[in-house]
Amino acid sequence: MSGGGERPELERVPETALWTLWHRAVEARRPDAVLHDPVAVELVERIDYPFAERFGEVALVSQLQALRAACFDREVADFLGRHPRGTVVGLGDGLETQSWRVDNGRASWLSVDLPETARLRERLLPPDGRRRILACSATDHRWMDEVDPDPERGVLISTEGLLMYLRPTEVRELIAACAERFPGGALVLDAVPRWFSRRAVAGKLRDRHYTAPPMPFGMDADELGKLAGAHPAVTGVREVYPEGGRGLVRVVLPLARWIKQRPSVVALRFAQS
Ligand SMILES: C[S@@+](CC[C@H](N)C(=O)[O-])C[C@H]1O[C@@H](n2cnc3c(N)ncnc32)[C@H](O)[C@@H]1O
């Protein structure tokens, strides 16, 4: 399942956009998939890149990645239920295909990513009337000028698979800036546990053909409350648990909530001004 015409030239952290895309596609092509993502399957077929050789094909990893994406989908779908004309900002959006999975035909979607990834997205998933792409670092708050701040329309910032690649101070500053700039808005993030971050920083997250880039930001599940300290306007911190799953994963995931050193997805709410 690879071959098509587009040849991506991504390295280090930008290359991880291909990793997440691959795992969503591997899961989505199964008849019993936990995530319906036909656009991801199609993209992998259009991209000339040795996905299977580089990233391997482990059904468990793909299922867990898809369940993580489904957590973000539920938050976005819920947000769009309350704000049908709202804006969803995907920071570090890579080749995420969420805007096809949960679109309501009225929302605005802004994908923000580093220039090399944004260029690839533009070629593969060109912008249209409601979907825009901005080449800009998430840590360069210029992207905020592109978002309609009207609290009536609503803003949700999704940072799926991004914050672990930033420094802890950058994470804090980003959350604080969003809380200040988007009163009444929300931000959804995911965090890897500290042990995982340490292994990635030491270059020890590797298999035969691929070494994951450093992940300087890690947070255990019992520390999530600290996110409220980023800014006084962060008024809600709620963990979003994966739901469903297949086989043993379905049984083990609810039990894993008791483990503190595990990955987590978190929804932050910002106070109205
Ligand atoms: C693991 S991928 C996640 C992609 C997508 N959100 C998904 O879940 O499939 C990480 C993404 O973050 C982007 N990225 C890394 N550092 C960034 C930064 N400072 N600003 C914006 N994007 C960044 C990379 O280019 C890549 O697309």
Coordinates of all heavy atoms in Angstrom, one line a residue, residues 17 29 47 65 94 141 167 206 229 238 256:
A17 N 4.5 13.2 10.3 CA 3.2 13.3 9.7 C 2.9 12.1 8.8 O 1.7 11.7 8.6 CB 3.1 14.6 8.8
R29 N -8.1 0.6 6.5 CA -8.4 -0.3 5.4 C -8.9 -1.7 5.9 O -9.3 -2.5 5.2 CB -7.2 -0.5 4.6 CG -6.1 -1.2 5.2 CD -4.8 -1.3 4.4 NE -3.8 -1.9 5.2 CZ -2.6 -2.2 4.7 NH1 -2.2 -1.8 3.5 NH2 -1.7 -2.8 5.5
I47 N 1.1 8.6 -2.4 CA 2.4 9.1 -2.0 C 3.5 8.0 -2.3 O 3.3 6.8 -1.9 CB 2.4 9.4 -0.5 CG1 1.4 10.6 -0.2 CG2 3.8 9.8 0.0 CD1 1.2 10.9 1.3
Q65 N -3.2 4.3 17.4 CA -3.1 5.7 16.8 C -4.5 6.1 16.3 O -4.9 7.2 16.5 CB -2.2 5.6 15.6 CG -0.7 5.6 16.0 CD -0.4 6.8 16.9 OE1 -0.7 7.9 16.7 NE2 0.3 6.4 18.0
G94 N -0.1 18.4 9.7 CA 0.5 17.3 8.9 C -0.4 17.0 7.7 O -0.9 17.8 7.0
H141 N 3.2 33.1 16.9 CA 1.7 33.3 17.1 C 1.1 34.0 16.0 O -0.1 34.4 16.1 CB 1.5 33.9 18.5 CG 2.0 33.0 19.6 ND1 2.1 33.4 20.9 CD2 2.4 31.7 19.5 CE1 2.6 32.4 21.6 NE2 2.8 31.3 20.8
R167 N 9.4 22.3 23.3 CA 10.0 22.4 24.6 C 8.9 22.7 25.6 O 8.0 23.4 25.3 CB 11.1 23.4 24.7 CG 12.4 23.1 23.8 CD 13.5 24.0 24.1 NE 13.2 25.4 23.9 CZ 13.3 26.0 22.7 NH1 13.7 25.3 21.7 NH2 13.0 27.3 22.6
R206 N 13.4 3.3 18.7 CA 13.8 3.0 17.4 C 13.5 1.5 17.1 O 13.5 0.7 18.0 CB 15.2 3.4 17.1 CG 16.2 2.6 18.0 CD 17.6 2.8 17.5 NE 18.5 2.1 18.4 CZ 19.3 2.7 19.3 NH1 19.2 4.0 19.5 NH2 20.0 1.9 20.1
G229 N -2.3 25.7 35.2 CA -1.3 26.7 35.7 C -0.7 27.5 34.5 O 0.0 28.5 34.8
R238 N -9.9 18.5 31.2 CA -10.7 17.3 31.3 C -10.0 16.2 30.4 O -9.6 16.5 29.2 CB -12.1 17.5 30.7 CG -12.9 16.3 30.5 CD -14.3 16.7 30.0 NE -14.3 17.7 29.0 CZ -14.2 17.4 27.7 NH1 -14.2 16.1 27.3 NH2 -14.2 18.3 26.7
A256 N -6.4 0.6 31.8 CA -5.1 1.4 31.7 C -5.3 2.8 32.3 O -4.3 3.4 32.6 CB -4.7 1.5 30.3

